[in-house]
Amino acid sequence: MSAQPHVHDHDAPEGLLSVEEARERVLSRVQPLSPLQLPLTDAFGCVAAEDVLATHDLPEFASSAMDGFAVRASDVAGATPAHPRELKIVGRALIGHEPEGTVGAGETMHIATGAPVPAGADVVVPIENADVDGDELVRLLDGPAPGTHVRPRGEDVHEGDVLIPSGKRLGAPELGLLANAGHPTPLVHPRPRVVVLSTGDELVPPTETPAFGQVRDANSFTIFGALREMGAMPVMAGIVRDDVESLRDTIFNFEIQADAFISSGGVSVGERDVVKAAFFRRGDVDFYKVAMQPGMPQGFGHVENKPYFGLPGNPVSVFVSLEVFVRPAILKMMGRRHLFRPEVTARLTEEVRGPRGKLQFARVEVRHEKDRWSATPTGARGSNLISTVARANGLAMIPAGTESAPAGSSVQVMLFRSSED
Ligand code: AMP
Ligand code: MG
Protein backbone atom coordinates (compact mmCIF):
# COMPACT_ATOMS: atom_id res chain seq x y z
CA MET A 1 0.00 0.00 0.00
CA SER A 2 1.34 3.36 -0.90
CA ALA A 3 0.42 6.49 0.97
CA GLN A 4 0.89 8.77 -1.99
CA PRO A 5 -1.40 8.35 -4.91
CA HIS A 6 0.59 7.59 -7.99
CA VAL A 7 -0.26 7.32 -11.59
CA HIS A 8 0.46 4.16 -13.53
CA ASP A 9 0.39 4.32 -17.25
CA HIS A 10 -0.85 0.80 -17.71
CA ASP A 11 -0.23 0.89 -21.41
CA ALA A 12 3.34 2.12 -21.49
CA PRO A 13 5.80 -0.52 -22.65
CA GLU A 14 8.93 1.59 -22.00
CA GLY A 15 11.12 0.34 -19.20
CA LEU A 16 9.22 -2.91 -18.89
CA LEU A 17 10.82 -6.32 -19.10
CA SER A 18 9.13 -8.86 -21.29
CA VAL A 19 7.64 -11.88 -19.54
CA GLU A 20 10.36 -14.04 -21.11
CA GLU A 21 13.15 -11.76 -19.89
CA ALA A 22 11.69 -11.59 -16.41
CA ARG A 23 11.28 -15.35 -16.24
CA GLU A 24 14.81 -15.94 -17.51
CA ARG A 25 16.12 -13.50 -14.92
CA VAL A 26 14.50 -15.59 -12.19
CA LEU A 27 15.33 -19.03 -13.61
CA SER A 28 18.98 -18.18 -14.23
CA ARG A 29 19.33 -17.24 -10.54
CA VAL A 30 17.88 -20.37 -8.94
CA GLN A 31 19.56 -23.77 -8.79
CA PRO A 32 18.45 -27.24 -7.74
CA LEU A 33 18.76 -27.77 -3.99
CA SER A 34 21.72 -29.91 -2.93
CA PRO A 35 20.79 -33.58 -2.92
CA LEU A 36 20.02 -35.40 0.31
CA GLN A 37 19.42 -39.02 1.17
CA LEU A 38 15.80 -39.20 2.28
CA PRO A 39 13.66 -42.06 3.54
CA LEU A 40 11.31 -43.29 0.84
CA THR A 41 8.21 -41.69 2.33
CA ASP A 42 9.94 -38.30 2.30
CA ALA A 43 11.51 -38.89 -1.10
CA PHE A 44 8.11 -39.41 -2.71
CA GLY A 45 7.59 -36.81 -5.43
CA CYS A 46 11.25 -35.78 -5.38
CA VAL A 47 13.67 -36.13 -8.28
CA ALA A 48 16.50 -38.70 -8.15
CA ALA A 49 19.87 -36.94 -8.06
CA GLU A 50 21.85 -39.92 -9.35
CA ASP A 51 21.31 -43.16 -11.24
CA VAL A 52 20.18 -45.82 -8.78
CA LEU A 53 21.77 -49.16 -9.74
CA ALA A 54 20.48 -52.59 -8.78
CA THR A 55 22.82 -54.17 -6.25
CA HIS A 56 21.31 -57.60 -6.86
CA ASP A 57 18.93 -59.49 -9.09
CA LEU A 58 15.18 -59.11 -8.67
CA PRO A 59 13.56 -61.36 -7.75
CA GLU A 60 16.45 -62.50 -5.62
CA PHE A 61 15.46 -66.18 -5.75
CA ALA A 62 13.41 -68.43 -8.02
CA SER A 63 9.97 -68.90 -6.53
CA SER A 64 6.75 -70.68 -7.31
CA ALA A 65 3.94 -68.87 -9.09
CA MET A 66 1.35 -71.46 -7.94
CA ASP A 67 0.42 -73.62 -5.01
CA GLY A 68 1.41 -77.16 -6.01
CA PHE A 69 4.37 -79.52 -6.22
CA ALA A 70 7.97 -78.74 -7.06
CA VAL A 71 9.45 -81.49 -9.25
CA ARG A 72 12.00 -82.29 -11.89
CA ALA A 73 10.41 -81.75 -15.27
CA SER A 74 12.00 -84.96 -16.53
CA ASP A 75 10.10 -86.89 -13.83
CA VAL A 76 6.70 -85.73 -15.04
CA ALA A 77 7.32 -85.46 -18.79
CA GLY A 78 4.31 -86.85 -20.63
CA ALA A 79 2.10 -87.18 -17.54
CA THR A 80 -1.67 -87.09 -18.19
CA PRO A 81 -4.73 -87.88 -16.05
CA ALA A 82 -4.77 -91.30 -17.70
CA HIS A 83 -1.02 -91.77 -17.20
CA PRO A 84 -0.02 -89.95 -14.02
CA ARG A 85 3.44 -90.06 -12.49
CA GLU A 86 3.69 -91.12 -8.89
CA LEU A 87 6.27 -89.26 -6.79
CA LYS A 88 7.43 -89.37 -3.22
CA ILE A 89 6.69 -86.29 -1.10
CA VAL A 90 9.92 -85.38 0.71
CA GLY A 91 8.93 -82.09 2.36
CA ARG A 92 7.30 -78.72 2.10
CA ALA A 93 8.76 -75.51 0.62
CA LEU A 94 7.41 -72.70 2.79
CA ILE A 95 7.04 -69.06 1.90
CA GLY A 96 9.67 -66.90 3.57
CA HIS A 97 12.03 -69.80 4.27
CA GLU A 98 14.98 -71.40 2.61
CA PRO A 99 13.79 -74.88 1.54
CA GLU A 100 14.92 -77.68 3.77
CA GLY A 101 16.35 -80.34 1.51
CA THR A 102 16.37 -80.81 -2.21
CA VAL A 103 14.21 -82.55 -4.77
CA GLY A 104 15.87 -85.63 -6.17
CA ALA A 105 14.77 -87.97 -8.95
CA GLY A 106 11.36 -89.47 -8.18
CA GLU A 107 10.78 -86.93 -5.42
CA THR A 108 8.65 -83.82 -4.94
CA MET A 109 7.89 -81.17 -2.32
CA HIS A 110 4.73 -79.26 -1.53
CA ILE A 111 5.28 -75.64 -2.52
CA ALA A 112 3.28 -72.49 -1.80
CA THR A 113 2.97 -69.48 -4.11
CA GLY A 114 5.99 -67.24 -3.50
CA ALA A 115 8.04 -69.94 -1.77
CA PRO A 116 11.61 -70.49 -3.01
CA VAL A 117 11.90 -73.40 -5.42
CA PRO A 118 14.06 -76.10 -3.80
CA ALA A 119 17.28 -77.12 -5.48
CA GLY A 120 16.78 -79.94 -7.93
CA ALA A 121 13.26 -78.92 -8.93
CA ASP A 122 12.75 -76.96 -12.13
CA VAL A 123 8.98 -76.90 -12.55
CA VAL A 124 5.86 -76.58 -10.41
CA VAL A 125 2.79 -78.74 -11.06
CA PRO A 126 -0.28 -76.88 -9.77
CA ILE A 127 -2.34 -78.49 -7.02
CA GLU A 128 -5.27 -78.86 -9.45
CA ASN A 129 -3.22 -81.42 -11.38
CA ALA A 130 -2.26 -83.46 -8.33
CA ASP A 131 -3.92 -86.41 -6.73
CA VAL A 132 -2.51 -86.65 -3.22
CA ASP A 133 -2.38 -90.08 -1.70
CA GLY A 134 -1.72 -89.80 2.06
CA ASP A 135 1.26 -87.87 3.38
CA GLU A 136 3.92 -89.47 1.27
CA LEU A 137 2.66 -90.06 -2.23
CA VAL A 138 1.23 -87.89 -4.97
CA ARG A 139 0.19 -88.67 -8.51
CA LEU A 140 0.82 -85.77 -10.86
CA LEU A 141 -1.52 -85.55 -13.84
CA ASP A 142 0.37 -83.08 -15.99
CA GLY A 143 3.93 -82.74 -17.30
CA PRO A 144 4.64 -79.07 -17.95
CA ALA A 145 7.82 -77.93 -19.67
CA PRO A 146 10.81 -76.97 -17.47
CA GLY A 147 10.36 -73.54 -15.87
CA THR A 148 6.56 -73.59 -15.96
CA HIS A 149 5.02 -71.82 -12.93
CA VAL A 150 8.46 -70.82 -11.72
CA ARG A 151 9.37 -67.14 -11.42
CA PRO A 152 13.07 -67.13 -12.25
CA ARG A 153 15.66 -65.21 -10.30
CA GLY A 154 16.58 -61.94 -12.05
CA GLU A 155 13.54 -62.03 -14.32
CA ASP A 156 12.64 -58.43 -13.44
CA VAL A 157 16.02 -56.74 -12.87
CA HIS A 158 19.63 -57.81 -13.19
CA GLU A 159 22.33 -56.73 -10.80
CA GLY A 160 23.89 -53.55 -12.22
CA ASP A 161 20.78 -52.47 -14.14
CA VAL A 162 19.67 -48.86 -13.77
CA LEU A 163 16.62 -49.01 -11.52
CA ILE A 164 15.92 -45.28 -11.57
CA PRO A 165 17.74 -42.87 -13.87
CA SER A 166 18.99 -39.57 -12.47
CA GLY A 167 16.37 -36.89 -13.06
CA LYS A 168 13.40 -39.22 -12.70
CA ARG A 169 10.68 -38.14 -10.32
CA LEU A 170 9.85 -40.74 -7.69
CA GLY A 171 6.20 -41.68 -7.95
CA ALA A 172 4.34 -44.62 -6.48
CA PRO A 173 5.92 -47.38 -8.63
CA GLU A 174 9.43 -45.98 -8.16
CA LEU A 175 9.01 -46.04 -4.37
CA GLY A 176 7.89 -49.66 -4.52
CA LEU A 177 10.78 -50.62 -6.78
CA LEU A 178 13.37 -48.89 -4.58
CA ALA A 179 11.94 -50.51 -1.47
CA ASN A 180 11.91 -53.93 -3.08
CA ALA A 181 15.44 -53.52 -4.38
CA GLY A 182 16.83 -52.47 -1.00
CA HIS A 183 17.32 -48.71 -1.48
CA PRO A 184 15.49 -47.22 1.50
CA THR A 185 17.19 -43.78 1.37
CA PRO A 186 17.64 -42.62 -2.24
CA LEU A 187 19.61 -39.47 -3.03
CA VAL A 188 17.12 -36.83 -4.18
CA HIS A 189 16.68 -33.09 -4.50
CA PRO A 190 14.64 -32.21 -1.41
CA ARG A 191 11.41 -30.25 -1.40
CA PRO A 192 12.09 -26.56 -0.83
CA ARG A 193 10.69 -25.11 2.39
CA VAL A 194 9.21 -21.81 1.38
CA VAL A 195 8.33 -19.10 3.87
CA VAL A 196 5.04 -17.44 2.90
CA LEU A 197 3.98 -14.06 4.19
CA SER A 198 1.46 -11.38 3.35
CA THR A 199 2.19 -7.70 3.83
CA GLY A 200 -0.45 -5.10 4.48
CA ASP A 201 -1.80 -2.95 7.32
CA GLU A 202 -5.31 -3.69 6.04
CA LEU A 203 -5.05 -7.50 6.30
CA VAL A 204 -6.63 -9.81 8.85
CA PRO A 205 -6.57 -13.62 8.97
CA PRO A 206 -9.59 -15.37 7.44
CA THR A 207 -10.61 -16.53 10.91
CA GLU A 208 -11.34 -12.91 11.90
CA THR A 209 -14.17 -10.62 10.95
CA PRO A 210 -12.65 -7.62 9.23
CA ALA A 211 -13.52 -4.12 10.43
CA PHE A 212 -14.76 -1.86 7.67
CA GLY A 213 -11.91 -1.32 5.23
CA GLN A 214 -9.95 -4.35 6.35
CA VAL A 215 -9.40 -7.28 4.02
CA ARG A 216 -9.05 -10.98 4.77
CA ASP A 217 -5.68 -12.34 3.71
CA ALA A 218 -6.21 -14.35 0.53
CA ASN A 219 -2.68 -14.48 -0.81
CA SER A 220 -1.02 -16.58 1.88
CA PHE A 221 -3.52 -19.31 1.10
CA THR A 222 -3.25 -19.06 -2.66
CA ILE A 223 0.52 -19.32 -2.31
CA PHE A 224 0.22 -22.19 0.16
CA GLY A 225 -1.94 -24.17 -2.25
CA ALA A 226 0.29 -23.45 -5.21
CA LEU A 227 3.37 -24.56 -3.29
CA ARG A 228 1.72 -27.74 -2.13
CA GLU A 229 0.66 -28.48 -5.66
CA MET A 230 4.26 -28.02 -6.82
CA GLY A 231 5.44 -30.41 -4.11
CA ALA A 232 7.19 -27.73 -2.05
CA MET A 233 6.68 -27.22 1.70
CA PRO A 234 5.06 -23.94 2.64
CA VAL A 235 5.94 -22.43 6.01
CA MET A 236 3.20 -19.97 6.92
CA ALA A 237 4.66 -16.81 8.45
CA GLY A 238 1.35 -14.95 8.49
CA ILE A 239 0.54 -11.28 8.06
CA VAL A 240 3.23 -8.64 8.41
CA ARG A 241 2.40 -4.96 8.86
CA ASP A 242 3.65 -2.37 6.41
CA ASP A 243 6.64 -1.72 8.57
CA VAL A 244 10.20 -2.36 7.45
CA GLU A 245 11.43 -3.59 10.84
CA SER A 246 8.55 -6.05 11.24
CA LEU A 247 9.16 -7.42 7.79
CA ARG A 248 12.89 -7.82 8.33
CA ASP A 249 12.31 -9.40 11.75
CA THR A 250 9.88 -11.90 10.32
CA ILE A 251 12.15 -12.79 7.43
CA PHE A 252 15.18 -13.27 9.65
CA ASN A 253 13.22 -15.22 12.26
CA PHE A 254 12.03 -17.65 9.66
CA GLU A 255 15.26 -17.73 7.68
CA ILE A 256 16.54 -20.83 9.46
CA GLN A 257 13.52 -22.81 8.21
CA ALA A 258 13.65 -21.54 4.66
CA ASP A 259 15.01 -22.43 1.26
CA ALA A 260 13.10 -19.53 -0.30
CA PHE A 261 10.69 -16.72 0.57
CA ILE A 262 7.51 -15.50 -1.03
CA SER A 263 5.79 -12.32 0.07
CA SER A 264 2.86 -10.56 -1.49
CA GLY A 265 2.10 -6.86 -1.54
CA GLY A 266 4.31 -3.86 -1.09
CA VAL A 267 6.36 -4.02 -4.29
CA SER A 268 5.00 -1.04 -6.20
CA VAL A 269 6.70 2.28 -6.64
CA GLY A 270 5.74 4.07 -3.42
CA GLU A 271 8.30 4.64 -0.68
CA ARG A 272 5.79 3.10 1.70
CA ASP A 273 5.82 -0.15 -0.24
CA VAL A 274 7.30 -2.21 2.51
CA VAL A 275 9.07 -5.02 0.69
CA LYS A 276 10.78 -2.55 -1.52
CA ALA A 277 11.69 -0.35 1.41
CA ALA A 278 13.11 -3.31 3.32
CA PHE A 279 15.21 -4.86 0.61
CA PHE A 280 15.76 -2.46 -2.23
CA ARG A 281 18.54 -0.39 -0.74
CA ARG A 282 20.37 -3.47 0.44
CA GLY A 283 20.52 -4.47 -3.19
CA ASP A 284 19.40 -8.03 -2.47
CA VAL A 285 16.15 -7.82 -4.31
CA ASP A 286 15.51 -6.18 -7.68
CA PHE A 287 12.20 -4.48 -8.27
CA TYR A 288 11.04 -4.15 -11.83
CA LYS A 289 8.01 -4.01 -14.03
CA VAL A 290 7.04 -6.72 -16.45
CA ALA A 291 5.00 -6.11 -19.59
CA MET A 292 2.16 -8.28 -18.38
CA GLN A 293 -1.33 -7.87 -17.01
CA PRO A 294 -1.94 -8.70 -14.26
CA GLY A 295 1.34 -8.93 -12.35
CA MET A 296 3.30 -5.93 -13.61
CA PRO A 297 5.33 -5.02 -10.51
CA GLN A 298 7.64 -7.81 -9.39
CA GLY A 299 10.48 -8.18 -6.95
CA PHE A 300 13.03 -10.95 -7.13
CA GLY A 301 16.43 -11.49 -5.59
CA HIS A 302 18.18 -13.26 -2.75
CA VAL A 303 17.97 -12.69 0.98
CA GLU A 304 20.57 -14.61 2.95
CA ASN A 305 21.42 -16.37 -0.32
CA LYS A 306 17.89 -17.73 -0.62
CA PRO A 307 15.56 -16.80 -3.45
CA TYR A 308 13.08 -14.09 -2.50
CA PHE A 309 9.95 -13.64 -4.59
CA GLY A 310 8.26 -10.30 -3.93
CA LEU A 311 4.89 -10.70 -5.60
CA PRO A 312 2.40 -7.90 -6.11
CA GLY A 313 -0.55 -7.64 -3.72
CA ASN A 314 -3.61 -8.11 -5.85
CA PRO A 315 -4.88 -11.67 -5.57
CA VAL A 316 -5.09 -12.36 -9.30
CA SER A 317 -1.62 -10.89 -9.80
CA VAL A 318 -0.39 -13.28 -7.14
CA PHE A 319 -1.89 -16.27 -8.88
CA VAL A 320 -0.52 -15.30 -12.29
CA SER A 321 2.92 -14.52 -10.82
CA LEU A 322 2.96 -17.94 -9.15
CA GLU A 323 2.20 -19.61 -12.45
CA VAL A 324 4.55 -17.57 -14.61
CA PHE A 325 7.59 -17.08 -12.36
CA VAL A 326 7.44 -18.94 -9.06
CA ARG A 327 6.31 -22.36 -10.19
CA PRO A 328 9.05 -22.87 -12.81
CA ALA A 329 11.66 -21.61 -10.33
CA ILE A 330 10.51 -23.86 -7.49
CA LEU A 331 10.35 -26.83 -9.85
CA LYS A 332 13.90 -26.05 -10.94
CA MET A 333 14.95 -26.01 -7.26
CA MET A 334 13.40 -29.47 -6.98
CA GLY A 335 15.51 -30.72 -9.87
CA ARG A 336 12.53 -31.04 -12.16
CA ARG A 337 13.14 -30.89 -15.88
CA HIS A 338 9.77 -29.90 -17.23
CA LEU A 339 9.16 -26.52 -15.71
CA PHE A 340 6.19 -25.28 -17.66
CA ARG A 341 2.51 -26.02 -17.81
CA PRO A 342 1.04 -27.74 -20.84
CA GLU A 343 -0.51 -25.39 -23.39
CA VAL A 344 -3.33 -25.85 -25.83
CA THR A 345 -4.55 -23.74 -28.71
CA ALA A 346 -8.16 -22.82 -28.08
CA ARG A 347 -10.90 -20.83 -29.78
CA LEU A 348 -12.20 -17.90 -27.80
CA THR A 349 -15.96 -17.99 -27.37
CA GLU A 350 -16.04 -14.28 -26.49
CA GLU A 351 -13.95 -11.26 -27.26
CA VAL A 352 -11.06 -10.49 -24.88
CA ARG A 353 -9.72 -6.94 -24.87
CA GLY A 354 -6.09 -6.56 -23.94
CA PRO A 355 -3.87 -3.74 -22.71
CA ARG A 356 -1.64 -2.28 -25.38
CA GLY A 357 2.01 -3.27 -24.95
CA LYS A 358 1.47 -6.03 -22.40
CA LEU A 359 0.95 -9.74 -22.51
CA GLN A 360 -2.40 -10.36 -20.89
CA PHE A 361 -3.10 -13.51 -18.94
CA ALA A 362 -6.86 -13.86 -19.22
CA ARG A 363 -8.58 -16.31 -16.90
CA VAL A 364 -10.54 -18.76 -19.00
CA GLU A 365 -12.44 -21.95 -18.67
CA VAL A 366 -11.07 -24.33 -21.26
CA ARG A 367 -13.19 -27.16 -22.57
CA HIS A 368 -12.49 -29.91 -25.04
CA GLU A 369 -15.31 -29.87 -27.55
CA LYS A 370 -15.44 -32.46 -30.30
CA ASP A 371 -11.90 -32.28 -31.62
CA ARG A 372 -10.93 -28.82 -30.46
CA TRP A 373 -10.51 -26.65 -27.39
CA SER A 374 -12.66 -23.67 -26.53
CA ALA A 375 -11.82 -20.94 -24.03
CA THR A 376 -14.42 -18.84 -22.27
CA PRO A 377 -13.39 -15.86 -20.11
CA THR A 378 -14.52 -16.29 -16.52
CA GLY A 379 -15.01 -12.59 -15.83
CA ALA A 380 -13.58 -9.11 -16.12
CA ARG A 381 -9.90 -8.21 -16.25
CA GLY A 382 -9.43 -6.58 -12.83
CA SER A 383 -6.54 -8.05 -10.89
CA ASN A 384 -8.53 -7.99 -7.66
CA LEU A 385 -11.28 -10.29 -8.99
CA ILE A 386 -10.23 -13.50 -7.31
CA SER A 387 -13.36 -15.51 -8.14
CA THR A 388 -12.43 -15.27 -11.81
CA VAL A 389 -9.42 -17.48 -11.06
CA ALA A 390 -11.40 -19.97 -9.02
CA ARG A 391 -13.73 -20.52 -11.99
CA ALA A 392 -10.89 -20.89 -14.50
CA ASN A 393 -8.63 -23.77 -15.46
CA GLY A 394 -6.40 -21.89 -17.86
CA LEU A 395 -4.67 -18.62 -18.57
CA ALA A 396 -5.15 -17.47 -22.14
CA MET A 397 -2.15 -15.49 -23.33
CA ILE A 398 -3.22 -12.47 -25.35
CA PRO A 399 0.01 -11.15 -26.85
CA ALA A 400 1.24 -7.60 -26.39
CA GLY A 401 -0.04 -5.44 -29.20
CA THR A 402 -3.36 -7.27 -29.44
CA GLU A 403 -5.98 -4.86 -28.24
CA SER A 404 -8.81 -7.14 -29.14
CA ALA A 405 -8.84 -10.90 -29.53
CA PRO A 406 -12.26 -11.42 -31.11
CA ALA A 407 -14.64 -14.28 -30.50
CA GLY A 408 -13.61 -17.17 -32.75
CA SER A 409 -9.92 -16.29 -32.77
CA SER A 410 -7.25 -18.74 -31.62
CA VAL A 411 -5.30 -18.21 -28.42
CA GLN A 412 -2.61 -20.14 -26.57
CA VAL A 413 -3.78 -21.24 -23.15
CA MET A 414 -1.66 -22.47 -20.24
CA LEU A 415 -3.62 -25.16 -18.43
CA PHE A 416 -3.19 -24.99 -14.69
CA ARG A 417 -5.59 -27.80 -13.88
CA SER A 418 -7.51 -30.42 -15.75
CA SER A 419 -11.01 -29.46 -16.75
CA GLU A 420 -12.46 -32.31 -14.66
CA ASP A 421 -11.11 -30.99 -11.32
P1 AMP B 1 -0.24 -3.65 -2.54
O1 AMP B 1 0.56 -4.11 -3.71
O2 AMP B 1 0.35 -4.04 -1.23
O3 AMP B 1 -0.51 -2.19 -2.64
O4 AMP B 1 -1.64 -4.39 -2.64
C1 AMP B 1 -2.45 -4.21 -3.78
C2 AMP B 1 -3.87 -4.60 -3.47
O5 AMP B 1 -3.94 -5.95 -3.12
C3 AMP B 1 -4.50 -3.83 -2.32
O6 AMP B 1 -5.86 -3.58 -2.64
C4 AMP B 1 -4.40 -4.81 -1.18
O7 AMP B 1 -5.39 -4.60 -0.20
C5 AMP B 1 -4.60 -6.12 -1.87
N1 AMP B 1 -3.92 -7.17 -1.12
C6 AMP B 1 -2.62 -7.15 -0.75
N2 AMP B 1 -2.31 -8.27 -0.07
C7 AMP B 1 -3.44 -9.00 -0.01
C8 AMP B 1 -3.74 -10.26 0.56
N3 AMP B 1 -2.82 -10.97 1.20
N4 AMP B 1 -5.00 -10.75 0.43
C9 AMP B 1 -5.94 -10.03 -0.22
N5 AMP B 1 -5.70 -8.84 -0.78
C10 AMP B 1 -4.46 -8.31 -0.68
MG1 MG C 1 0.05 -3.55 0.67
Side-chain angles (χ1 to χ4, degrees), residues 16 78 130 142 147 198 205 234 295 340 377:
L16 305 191
D142 189 24
S198 291
F340 304 118

Side-chain angles (χ1 to χ4, degrees), residues 1-2 198-203 240 242 264-267 272-274 312-313:
M1 288 275 292
S2 171
S198 291
T199 67
D201 286 339
E202 75 283 23
L203 301 178
V240 179
D242 287 321
S264 63
V267 294
R272 289 279 302 278
D273 279 310
V274 63

Side-chain angles (χ1 to χ4, degrees), residues 176-243:
L177 175 60
L178 288 169
N180 200 224
H183 295 271
T185 56
L187 188 71
V188 297
H189 297 286
R191 299 166 185 278
R193 295 158 304 171
V194 185
V195 170
V196 178
L197 57 93
S198 291
T199 67
D201 286 339
E202 75 283 23
L203 301 178
V204 296
T207 47
E208 282 177 26
T209 306
F212 184 83
Q214 292 185 321
V215 175
R216 294 185 194 89
D217 172 17
N219 296 343
S220 291
F221 298 90
T222 307
I223 297 168
F224 174 92
L227 287 169
R228 273 290 181 86
E229 199 236 32
M230 292 167 210
M233 295 199 294
V235 178
M236 299 291 261
I239 295 166
V240 179
R241 300 291 154 220
D242 287 321
D243 169 71

Side-chain angles (χ1 to χ4, degrees), residues 60-107:
E60 289 185 70
F61 53 87
S63 66
S64 178
M66 301 288 276
D67 288 338
F69 288 88
V71 294
R72 300 182 169 214
S74 53
D75 278 353
V76 291
T80 64
H83 301 281
R85 299 287 186 274
E86 191 171 87
L87 297 173
K88 181 167 181 251
I89 303 174
V90 296
R92 198 173 273 279
L94 297 174
I95 195 156
H97 292 275
E98 192 174 347
E100 286 175 19
T102 58
V103 171
E107 295 177 346

